[in-house]
Amino acid sequence: MKMAIAIVQDKDAGKLLQRLTREGISATRLSSSGGFLRAGNTTLLIGIEEDQLDPLVEIIKQTCRRREEIVPQIHHATIGPADTNIPFPLQVPVGGATVFILSVDRMFKV
Ligand code: 2BA
């Protein structure tokens, strides 16, 4: 058995979970946030048999989109008549999904 940890954008999480449920793939949804943007995202824990991995990857590819996020930055300018803080936007690509696949030694339910 494998454990897929998929970090996806909140905007894609609903559609992805819907597809997984339809395909009979169980997942647990965790609210998370990225260390860089400090914005909310969704982490899915997906316990899955190895032969289901390829269909899982295909579903993730079909449902998670790459987007550009605009992050406001403050630039501290020291030129000009006085020190000035000038806001300027930084464009950061996010997604489609960051996925880790781990081997599971044992899984049980009681
Ligand atoms: P964040 O950490 O908020 O990162 C959002 C996006 O910012 C990243 O998109 C990447 O394009 C950019 N970014 C991240 N760290 C950067 C840095 N040090 N310098 C410049 N740009 C940086 P993605 O790569 O698509 O990542 C989306 C989210 O997936 C991340 O949100 C984080 O929550 C997670 N993630 C990505 N790589 C990871 C890793 N190696 N381990 C754990 N979580 C990861």
Side-chain angles (χ1 to χ4, degrees):
M1 183 172 221
K2 299 285 181 185
M3 169 64 69
I5 301 173
I7 302 158
V8 305
Q9 293 172 73
D10 288 342
K11 288 169 189 157
D12 295 324
K15 199 170 170 189
L16 174 55
L17 274 168
Q18 221 172 38
R19 282 287 307 276
L20 294 177
T21 305
R22 205 187 308 155
E23 302 295 330
I25 298 171
S26 297
T28 295
R29 176 184 195 156
L30 306 175
S31 292
S32 47
S33 45
F36 187 68
L37 292 180
R38 311 283 165 96
N41 54 27
T42 296
T43 300
L44 296 182
L45 303 181
I46 307 162
I48 194 162
E49 295 303 333
E50 202 156 348
D51 62 359
Q52 285 287 95
L53 270 180
D54 287 345
L56 171 66
V57 170
E58 199 47 45
I59 291 170
I60 293 173
K61 281 183 180 167
Q62 287 171 7
T63 50
C64 298
R65 283 210 294 119
R66 189 172 181 81
R67 297 183 179 85
E68 299 284 332
E69 293 293 326
I70 307 286
V71 189
Q73 299 283 304
I74 300 294
H75 176 68
H76 186 72
T78 50
I79 50 166
D83 283 4
T84 333
N85 287 326
I86 305 167
F88 71 98
L90 177 73
Q91 223 173 19
V92 178
V94 186
T98 302
V99 184
F100 302 89
I101 310 279
L102 289 73
S103 292
V104 174
D105 285 342
R106 192 174 163 210
M107 182 261 193
F108 65 91
K109 297 179 186 181
V110 290

